[in-house]
Amino acid sequence: MAPVPGSGLAKGLAVTLRTMTKKTVTQQYPDAQPELPPRTRGVIGLFEENCTVCMLCARECPDWCIYIDSHKETVPAATPGGRDRSRNVLDRFAIDFALCMYCGICIEVCPFDALFWSPEFEYAETDIRDLTHERDKLREWMWTVPAPPALDPGAEEPKELAAARKAADKLAAQQQETDGPGQEDRT
C-alpha cells in the first residue's frame, strides 16, 4: 500500500501541537538552583586530620593533578625509655581541577578516608591558573560533604561527623576557658 501524500507532514505537525501544549521544564540556573541527587560528584573535599601523607592518591591519579608536600617530624617517646617516633606532616595538598577528570580514583584508594566528594559545583575561575586549589579551599568543601547513609537504624554516627563534633566541642571548651569562669554566652 502506498503512503498517503502529506501523512509525514501531518504526523510532524501532530507532534509539534502535542509539545506546544505541555508546560516547559527548563530551569533558569543562576536564579533557581538545581536539585542535585544525593552523593553528587562535584568537587573533592579534604579531611586533613585523616591524611597521613601516604601519597597513594597522588600516585594513583591518572592525570597527575594532585600535589603533596610534606616533611618528617620527630615525636618524643610517650613513655620513659621508649624510642622517639617520626611522622609525616602535611605541608601542601593541592588539586589542579583544570587537569582533574573527576574519576574518583583518589577517593577510592585513600586508606584513611581523607578525601570525599562534595556536591559543590560552582567553582569556576576566570583564570585557568586559579583552578589549582590548595588545602584551605579543599578543607572548606569538606563541610558540604553529605553524611553517608546509615546502614541500619541502629548504626553508630559516621566517624567524620564524630571527629568534626569532637573538634568543635574542644574549640568551644577552649573558647569558654578564655572567656573566663562565670561569664555567660551573650548571644
Side-chain angles (χ1 to χ4, degrees):
M1 177 179 210
V4 178
S7 65
L9 178 64
K11 286 181 184 177
L13 286 173
V15 170
T16 303
L17 288 173
R18 236 187 347 254
T19 56
M20 282 177 52
T21 60
K22 290 184 181 175
K23 184 179 179 192
T24 60
V25 293
T26 304
Q27 292 182 355
Q28 301 300 323
Y29 163 63
D31 301 327
Q33 292 293 321
E35 287 187 31
L36 300 173
R39 311 305 288 173
T40 298
R41 289 184 175 193
V43 72
I44 298 169
L46 172 67
F47 190 56
E48 236 179 297
E49 289 78 17
N50 286 358
C51 184
T52 61
V53 197
C54 66
M55 304 282 209
L56 274 174
C57 54
R59 283 195 304 252
E60 295 296 324
C61 178
D63 290 334
W64 292 84
C65 64
I66 300 175
Y67 309 107
I68 301 174
D69 291 330
S70 67
H71 69 276
K72 292 233 184 242
E73 197 173 78
T74 303
V75 179
T79 60
R83 69 170 208 198
D84 293 343
R85 306 275 183 188
S86 67
R87 68 179 183 108
N88 286 329
V89 177
L90 186 65
D91 292 330
R92 178 180 187 224
F93 193 105
I95 299 177
D96 187 353
F97 287 107
L99 297 176
C100 183
M101 64 180 181
Y102 304 92
C103 64
I105 292 174
C106 57
I107 295 169
E108 295 297 322
V109 300
C110 182
F112 302 103
D113 290 334
L115 298 173
F116 294 90
W117 283 116
S118 169
E120 294 293 317
F121 62 94
E122 297 177 311
Y123 53 94
E125 300 287 346
T126 57
D127 189 0
I128 195 167
R129 292 173 293 209
D130 294 334
L131 282 172
T132 301
H133 294 228
E134 298 293 331
R135 69 181 183 177
D136 297 334
K137 188 70 170 172
L138 300 174
R139 186 185 317 119
E140 287 176 22
W141 282 319
M142 189 60 211
W143 295 107
T144 63
V145 172
L151 298 176
D152 60 51
E156 62 185 45
E157 182 180 44
K159 61 184 175 183
E160 295 85 10
L161 291 177
R165 186 170 285 114
K166 182 179 174 185
D169 290 345
K170 184 178 178 182
L171 184 64
Q174 288 175 349
Q175 178 106 16
Q176 196 169 17
E177 283 181 15
T178 58
D179 287 345
Q183 288 187 350
E184 297 290 324
D185 186 24
R186 296 184 178 120
T187 55

